[in-house]
Amino acid sequence: MKIRNKLTLLFTAMIAALMIAFALFVYYTYDQYRKDEYYRRIHQQAITKANLLFDTKVDSSTLQVIYKSSNDVLFQDEMAIYDTDFNLIYHDAAEIDKVKETRSMIDEILKKKEIMFEANNLQIVGFLYTHGGKNYIITAAAKDKPGLAKLANLRFTLITALISAIVIIFIAGRFFSKQALQPVSNLVDNVNEITVTNLDLRVNEGNGKDEIAELAVTFNQMLNRLERSFNAQKDFVSNISHELRTPLAAMIGELDLAAAKDRSEEEYKHVINLLRNDAQKLVRLINGLLNLAKANYDEINITLRDVRLDEILLDARHDIITSNKDYKINLSFEKEIENDDFISIHGNEYLLKVAFMNLMENGCKFSGDKSCNVIINYYKDKTVVRISDNGIGIAEEDISKIFTPFYRGKNKKYAEGYGIGMSLCNRIIHLHKGEIYVSSEVNKGTTFTIELPHV
């Protein structure tokens, strides 16, 4: 069953239950009031007739004739008078005797002074009556025809009103549930339009305040993650196929050239060295592509923990110097560290090390003296790392594109590369909720400033 139908039925059932409870309360309250009022009326009528009998000395037969022939409401009740010994003194219609008095009933009236009950659709009252110093027992019975007619009319009115109200409530509930769930229907329509070819589409977030809007916002956030992941995979496949083609083609060409005719041992060694250099380039390219792919993963898929930036920078410096004996990297603190938390961040040690190694290698690679300077500083809410060199610098028109994957500027003739390093650094820093800035002047040097929030 659809939620709209469930809501409609639930709403209708809840309101109907409340209305039925209210109607029953009204009905039974009115019925009880009618009974109590009619008991008092019968009691008063019985006293009036008893007074006529005892005070005005109206003949019993006359009262009986009046009872049998009158349609007056005042005389519609059947009355009987007994003494305390259960001797009948007067009866409106002894041959009918609707009450069927018994000795036990008389005793009960004597004990309780008054009783009221119903029998055979009659309301019956029995009470102790004192006149002229003597006690009498009076019973009276009557059927509240006008009251019962009003009660029946009230019952009909309530039932009719309930049925009409329930129908109206059902129709209104269906309408309002449709209106309330219309954003969900729109959301479903929007979702059905989104396919692998148009992951950039987003669902309408409505007013941005209610639960449906929260669902839409959450779904759009999920689409953002899916789109990033899908685009990262697509870019990775596209990039790796494009970039691997060149070194593989070169290796195949060298092998074909070597196999074209017999060559000397020196020539074969030369070809092997060429192949070895190409293979090393291929390894570096593959490592760069794999790191770029890992950095493009969603944050929730990357393990983060509290790490010290100075330790990561020292490890990165050690690895670079070990691999490149002619590189020089100077690491220093701009001011004394007062608290370890000032240089500790919540991040992934491997990815941060990859980013800093790329920046340090670039600084050394494009400097004439193969050196760069790394300075660590901190502020109230962030840690700052500046990596600078005195190299060839970056042209102004290249700075805006430096973080674009596989983009290589005018300085590409000075050193080999594939244009992966800077885009990889940019992605890693942003993955850690940080920022990276670059300032450069041609032939004077370049400075990369990395800001990361500390713990």
Side-chain angles (χ1 to χ4, degrees):
M1 183 183 292
K2 290 186 176 181
I3 294 178
R4 182 175 65 184
N5 295 334
K6 288 183 179 179
L7 287 177
T8 301
L9 292 176
L10 182 62
F11 175 74
T12 304
M14 181 177 64
I15 300 301
L18 290 174
M19 294 186 66
I20 290 172
F22 176 75
L24 290 174
F25 174 77
V26 171
Y27 180 81
Y28 286 107
T29 301
Y30 174 79
D31 187 40
Q32 191 61 46
Y33 172 79
R34 177 197 63 80
K35 289 179 181 179
D36 293 341
E37 183 67 21
Y38 202 64
Y39 278 129
R40 287 193 295 270
R41 191 169 187 177
I42 295 172
H43 186 280
Q44 188 58 47
Q45 288 173 354
I47 292 175
T48 300
K49 291 174 74 174
N51 289 337
L52 285 174
L53 181 66
F54 290 115
D55 292 339
T56 62
K57 306 300 181 180
V58 176
D59 186 70
S60 298
S61 59
T62 302
L63 281 177
Q64 290 172 346
V65 171
I66 293 174
Y67 167 72
K68 293 177 181 179
S69 60
S70 177
N71 291 322
D72 194 330
V73 173
L74 180 62
F75 295 100
Q76 282 184 350
D77 62 316
E78 178 190 279
M79 184 188 73
I81 302 175
Y82 293 85
D83 62 17
T84 54
D85 293 326
F86 194 38
N87 295 313
L88 181 63
I89 296 176
Y90 171 80
H91 202 297
D92 279 330
E95 70 279 5
I96 301 175
D97 193 15
K98 298 176 181 178
V99 179
K100 302 290 189 300
E101 295 87 347
T102 62
R103 180 68 202 189
S104 60
M105 182 188 298
I106 298 300
D107 292 339
E108 185 179 0
I109 294 171
L110 283 171
K111 181 180 179 181
K112 296 182 178 179
K113 309 300 182 183
E114 183 177 20
I115 63 171
M116 291 178 289
F117 61 95
E118 292 181 81
N120 301 321
N121 295 323
L122 297 173
Q123 288 183 236
I124 303 168
V125 61
F127 58 92
L128 186 64
Y129 173 74
T130 302
H131 188 274
K134 294 183 179 180
N135 290 328
Y136 300 92
I137 303 299
I138 296 178
T139 64
K143 183 177 182 179
D144 186 14
K145 292 181 179 180
L148 291 174
K150 291 179 181 178
L151 187 65
N153 183 62
L154 176 63
R155 182 169 58 248
F156 175 79
T157 302
L158 289 174
I159 292 174
T160 304
L162 277 175
I163 294 174
S164 302
I166 289 173
V167 172
I168 293 173
I169 290 169
F170 178 80
I171 296 172
R174 190 166 183 82
F175 172 76
F176 286 118
S177 64
K178 181 180 179 181
Q179 292 295 109
L181 293 175
Q182 187 61 45
V184 177
S185 299
N186 295 337
L187 185 64
V188 171
D189 293 338
N190 291 157
V191 171
N192 286 332
E193 294 176 3
I194 299 174
T195 64
V196 72
T197 59
N198 56 4
L199 279 175
D200 59 317
L201 293 180
R202 295 295 180 267
V203 299
N204 185 5
E205 296 179 359
N207 58 19
K209 298 178 180 179
D210 57 26
E211 290 79 0
I212 303 300
E214 290 180 5
L215 175 62
V217 169
T218 303
F219 189 81
N220 282 338
Q221 291 173 349
M222 181 190 71
L223 284 177
N224 290 336
R225 294 193 296 269
L226 287 175
E227 184 181 17
R228 287 198 300 269
S229 177
F230 184 80
N231 288 338
Q233 293 181 19
K234 185 172 65 174
D235 291 342
F236 178 73
V237 172
S238 174
N239 293 333
I240 198 170
S241 62
H242 177 269
E243 295 298 327
L244 290 179
R245 187 180 299 118
T246 301
L248 287 175
M251 294 173 71
I252 292 172
E254 290 163 359
L255 288 171
D256 288 342
L257 186 63
K261 62 178 182 179
D262 292 336
R263 299 183 181 275
S264 65
E265 182 179 347
E266 292 299 323
E267 290 175 325
Y268 280 125
K269 287 182 178 180
H270 177 68
V271 171
I272 291 173
N273 285 330
L274 291 176
L275 291 173
R276 182 176 177 275
N277 290 333
D278 287 337
Q280 288 176 338
K281 293 178 182 178
L282 194 59
V283 169
R284 289 196 296 271
L285 174 59
I286 292 174
N287 287 336
L289 289 170
L290 289 175
N291 286 330
L292 183 61
K294 186 173 182 180
N296 279 317
Y297 289 163
D298 198 297
E299 293 93 314
I300 62 175
N301 294 322
I302 297 176
T303 302
L304 303 176
R305 63 183 184 87
D306 291 345
V307 294
R308 286 179 54 118
L309 277 180
D310 57 339
E311 293 177 355
I312 295 175
L313 289 167
L314 285 170
D315 286 344
R317 175 180 178 274
H318 176 267
D319 289 353
I320 293 173
I321 293 176
T322 300
S323 302
N324 303 274
K325 303 297 184 182
D326 56 338
Y327 284 5
K328 298 178 183 178
I329 301 174
N330 303 311
L331 180 62
S332 62
F333 293 90
E334 193 164 289
K335 58 184 177 182
E336 185 179 351
I337 306 300
E338 299 177 359
N339 189 325
D340 288 345
D341 288 343
F342 293 158
I343 55 171
S344 298
I345 70 165
H346 193 63
N348 182 277
E349 184 175 0
Y350 170 77
L351 290 178
L352 287 170
K353 183 177 177 181
V354 168
F356 290 134
M357 286 182 66
N358 272 289
L359 293 171
M360 291 178 187
E361 282 182 329
N362 270 12
C364 295
K365 187 191 303 181
F366 292 103
S367 295
D369 58 358
K370 304 297 181 182
S371 68
C372 72
N373 298 309
V374 180
I375 300 175
I376 305 173
N377 196 5
Y378 64 88
Y379 297 93
K380 181 179 180 181
D381 58 347
K382 62 186 177 182
T383 304
V384 179
V385 177
R386 290 196 301 274
I387 300 175
S388 59
D389 63 66
N390 299 312
I392 60 176
I394 303 172
E396 185 175 351
E397 60 269 25
D398 290 333
I399 290 179
S400 61
K401 303 175 184 178
I402 193 172
F403 296 122
T404 303
F406 300 99
Y407 176 80
R408 300 204 67 203
K410 294 179 179 180
N411 59 9
K412 62 183 179 181
K413 60 185 178 181
Y414 295 99
E416 294 182 348
Y418 299 98
I420 297 176
M422 290 300 99
S423 63
L424 175 60
C425 292
N426 183 56
R427 175 57 186 156
I428 291 173
I429 298 304
H430 283 97
L431 191 67
H432 288 79
K433 306 293 188 278
E435 296 292 338
I436 181 169
Y437 307 98
V438 57
S439 61
S440 183
E441 191 172 346
V442 176
N443 296 324
K444 289 190 176 181
T446 302
T447 300
F448 285 93
T449 302
I450 299 97
E451 297 178 355
L452 293 167
H454 57 59
V455 295

